[in-house]
């Protein structure tokens, strides 16, 4: 947000000779789609990234946070740079969906999971041996600080410092560096809370260090810096539970397990993959009558601003086979939780853990910790900030900054404009 930049002296100093523009994220304003918009210059109807997760209908399988780069169905900045000049080298540093991408240097968390539930810290890198070098310089990537109750500046600092190591050794021509730190406190405590303001200061310190280290790596070269916010987190004081609504209507099925009720994808007539302020409702066999029935359940529901089905999904370029048959969009002050159980005693065991892969939807409650039960609480009302809804007010508008004048051609840009801004610099 522009207001945050005013409290970031290092970033402001870096951009003092340049310019600033409004940056409008395209719906859905969540990480994977917006990053894909920025990298391709296209929208979900073309690149296929409709959410932070995928439901593969043919396999009846939900994939959360593990997908590789081949899920982006459009050329990305590094691909197009290679087409312009095969000698240009790119670095993809922690953008989502970067595993297996065409960048010359890549780093992305990829912990090794074992059958007993334990895991070893590791990162996917290109070249593959690069993570060993980074680990030797900096220690393992601090995954416990990347998400969950311990999320903090340590992970963002490691991302910046590891980028500097690669910059000094290989000097790539283009960098995409994702610094996630502002996500945590703004969602947990609210975007205007004291912890969120502290996070802004912490991030600015990392930015200052990154700029200094890159200056040394590139011998003080005249680099063009662009800083862009993917989306803006807004305050929320309401939560909806689409899967509970579908269950109570007899459309969602569960199966009893030893550790509680689990979502039964095979026998559900409709269920919702929730993602911040939206959800994709998938209907069995895309049955038109069931689609209409599911959509009607949410029309005029509290906290729901729009219900899209059929051709209505094209309004936001979400008319893609990966999209839900019904798309629910929250009001700006509400968000959507994945819970399907009606009694917390019947919640599956993973609901009380940080388990971003088994939960069929995004769960920001994982940022909280219940000391009494030593687990993640089951109180979705704890969340104080969210994003994802279409940009309809100034408070939802992000910002893009350039360190040189004449780079940002308009006062307001879309996320899909970013790719061309980068590519034009290398022509």
């Amino acid at each position: 947000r522009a207001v945050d930049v005013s409290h970031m002296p290092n970033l402001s100093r870096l951009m003092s000779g340049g310019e600033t523009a409004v940056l409008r994220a395209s719906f859905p304003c969540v990480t994977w789609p917006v990053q894909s918009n920025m990298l391709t210059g296209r929208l979900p109807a073309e690149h296929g990234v409709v959410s932070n997760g995928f439901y593969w209908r043919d396999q009846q399988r939900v994939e959360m946070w593990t997908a590789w780069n081949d899920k982006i169905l459009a050329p990305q900045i590094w691909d197009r740079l290679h087409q312009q000049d095969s000698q240009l080298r790119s670095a993809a540093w922690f953008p989502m969906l970067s595993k297996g991408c065409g960048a010359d240097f890549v780093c992305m968390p990829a912990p090794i999971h074992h059958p007993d539930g334990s895991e070893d810290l590791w990162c996917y890198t290109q070249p593959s041996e690069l993570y060993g070098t980074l680990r030797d310089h900096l220690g393992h990537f601090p995954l416990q600080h990347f998400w969950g109750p311990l999320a903090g500046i340590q992970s963002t600092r490691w991302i910046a410092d590891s980028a500097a190591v690669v910059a000094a050794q290989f000097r790539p021509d283009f960098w995409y560096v994702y610094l996630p730190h502002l996500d945590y406190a703004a969602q947990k405590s609210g975007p205007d809370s004291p912890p969120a303001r502290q996070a802004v200061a912490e991030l600015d310190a990392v930015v200052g260090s990154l700029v200094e280290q890159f200056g040394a790596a590139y011998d003080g070269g005249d680099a063009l810096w662009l800083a862009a916010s993917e989306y803006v987190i807004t305050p929320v004081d309401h939560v909806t539970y689409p899967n509970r609504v579908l269950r109570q209507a007899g459309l969602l099925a569960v199966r009893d397990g030893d550790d509680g009720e689990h979502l039964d994808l095979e026998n559900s007539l409709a269920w919702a993959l929730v993602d911040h302020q939206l959800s994709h409702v998938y209907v069995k066999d895309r049955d038109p009558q069931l689609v209409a029935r599911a959509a009607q359940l949410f029309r005029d529901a509290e906290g729901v601003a729009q219900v899209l089905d059929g051709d209505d999904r094209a309004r936001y370029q979400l008319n893609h086979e990966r999209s839900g048959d019904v798309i629910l969009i929250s009001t700006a002050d509400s968000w959507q939780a994945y819970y399907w159980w009606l009694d917390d005693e019947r919640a599956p065991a993973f609901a009380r853990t940080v388990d971003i892969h088994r939960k069929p939807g995004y769960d920001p409650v994982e940022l909280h910790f219940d000391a009494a039960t030593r687990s993640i609480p089951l109180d979705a009302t704890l969340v104080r900030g969210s994003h994802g809804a279409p940009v309809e007010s100034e408070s939802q508008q992000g910002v893009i900054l350039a360190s040189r004048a004449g780079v940002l051609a308009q006062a307001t840009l879309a996320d899909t404009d970013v790719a061309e801004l980068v590519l034009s610099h290398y022509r």
Side-chain angles (χ1 to χ4, degrees):
R1 303 181 301 176
V3 65
D4 296 324
V5 175
S6 66
H7 296 286
M8 301 179 74
N10 290 316
L11 181 61
S12 298
R13 184 163 48 252
L14 174 66
M15 303 298 181
S16 60
E19 55 194 349
T20 302
V22 169
L23 185 64
R24 292 176 63 91
S26 304
F27 178 79
C29 306
V30 295
T31 305
W32 280 15
V34 173
Q35 289 191 0
S36 298
N37 298 345
M38 289 182 174
L39 288 171
T40 66
R42 303 184 187 184
L43 289 168
E46 294 184 83
H47 61 59
V49 182
V50 300
S51 185
N52 281 324
F54 298 103
Y55 176 50
W56 306 116
R57 293 177 188 257
D58 58 337
Q59 305 169 46
Q60 294 183 342
R61 178 176 68 90
V62 179
E63 183 174 17
M64 297 296 301
W65 305 108
T66 61
W68 282 52
N69 187 255
D70 60 353
K71 302 306 185 292
I72 302 180
L73 306 176
Q76 294 142 64
I77 291 174
W78 23 80
D79 304 315
R80 295 169 68 185
L81 284 175
H82 282 152
Q83 291 171 0
Q84 289 180 201
D85 183 345
S86 61
Q87 300 304 307
L88 289 173
R89 297 187 301 170
S90 301
W93 229 243
F94 279 70
M96 302 292 104
L97 290 169
S98 59
K99 289 181 291 186
C101 77
D104 301 274
F105 305 97
V106 184
C107 189
M108 181 66 195
I112 300 170
H113 299 280
H114 299 293
D116 63 359
S118 63
E119 62 182 25
D120 292 331
L121 297 176
W122 202 256
C123 284
Y124 167 93
T125 57
Q126 174 63 32
S128 59
E129 64 273 13
L130 183 56
Y131 183 64
T133 300
L134 298 175
R135 179 200 56 202
D136 291 345
H137 274 81
L138 304 168
H140 275 298
F141 173 68
L143 185 66
Q144 71 273 29
H145 299 298
F146 191 51
W147 183 247
L150 299 178
I153 195 62
Q154 297 94 324
S155 59
T156 291
R157 186 182 298 118
W158 193 97
I159 293 170
D161 289 344
S162 63
V165 170
V166 172
Q169 184 172 354
F170 298 105
R171 296 166 61 103
D173 302 286
F174 166 69
W175 280 89
Y176 184 119
V177 183
Y178 173 47
L179 302 176
H181 186 56
L182 295 187
D183 259 3
Y184 309 141
Q187 292 185 71
K188 182 177 181 179
S189 305
D192 298 307
S193 64
R197 291 195 292 272
Q198 177 63 29
V200 169
E202 291 171 343
L203 178 63
D204 188 59
V206 170
V207 169
S209 174
L210 178 66
V211 172
E212 181 180 351
Q213 292 183 84
F214 267 52
Y218 289 90
D219 300 323
D222 185 23
L224 169 63
W225 290 84
L226 297 174
S229 54
E230 298 167 301
Y231 43 73
V232 169
I233 295 174
T234 57
V236 294
D237 57 12
H238 182 267
V239 57
T240 59
Y241 305 88
N243 282 318
R244 287 177 172 172
V245 173
L246 293 166
R247 179 178 181 175
Q248 290 170 323
L251 297 178
L252 180 144
V254 300
R255 55 180 175 79
D256 288 326
D258 293 338
D259 64 339
E261 296 174 344
H262 290 255
L263 180 59
D264 185 345
L265 293 175
E266 181 179 0
N267 293 305
S268 288
L269 299 178
W271 69 279
L273 191 159
V274 305
D275 195 356
H276 297 82
Q277 291 184 312
L278 72 140
S279 61
H280 290 267
V281 179
Y282 294 93
V283 174
K284 192 175 184 67
D285 299 325
R286 296 190 169 98
D287 183 299
Q289 291 185 328
L290 286 176
V291 170
R293 182 179 168 193
Q296 188 59 39
L297 289 173
F298 298 97
R299 299 195 193 280
D300 301 320
E302 184 181 3
V304 178
Q306 297 181 61
V307 179
L308 309 177
D309 59 347
D311 293 341
D312 287 344
R313 297 174 304 164
R315 185 183 310 168
Y316 296 106
Q317 294 290 302
L318 281 168
N319 48 328
H320 193 278
E321 64 178 7
R322 295 174 177 173
S323 291
D325 305 290
V326 180
I327 296 173
L328 309 177
I329 303 176
S330 296
T331 56
D333 61 350
S334 184
W335 72 283
Q336 302 178 35
Y338 78 95
Y339 302 174
W340 57 78
W341 54 91
L342 305 179
D343 179 349
D344 284 352
E345 293 298 320
R346 301 300 301 148
F350 64 71
R352 294 186 181 274
T353 68
V354 176
D355 195 331
I356 64 174
H357 304 308
R358 285 204 291 169
K359 294 178 181 178
Y362 174 73
D363 184 16
V365 185
E366 290 182 342
L367 291 166
H368 293 266
F369 183 74
D370 184 351
T373 62
R374 300 188 61 79
S375 64
I376 304 303
L378 298 180
D379 182 2
T381 66
L382 292 170
V383 174
R384 289 289 177 263
S386 191
H387 58 94
V391 176
E392 296 179 343
S393 68
E394 186 175 341
S395 65
Q396 295 168 295
Q397 293 180 164
V399 63
I400 182 169
L401 304 95
S403 61
R404 295 181 195 162
V407 174
L408 309 177
Q410 304 172 54
T412 299
L413 298 172
D415 50 12
T416 50
D417 294 323
V418 172
E420 186 57 33
L421 282 178
V422 172
L423 293 167
S424 64
H425 176 68
Y426 292 94
R427 292 190 182 120

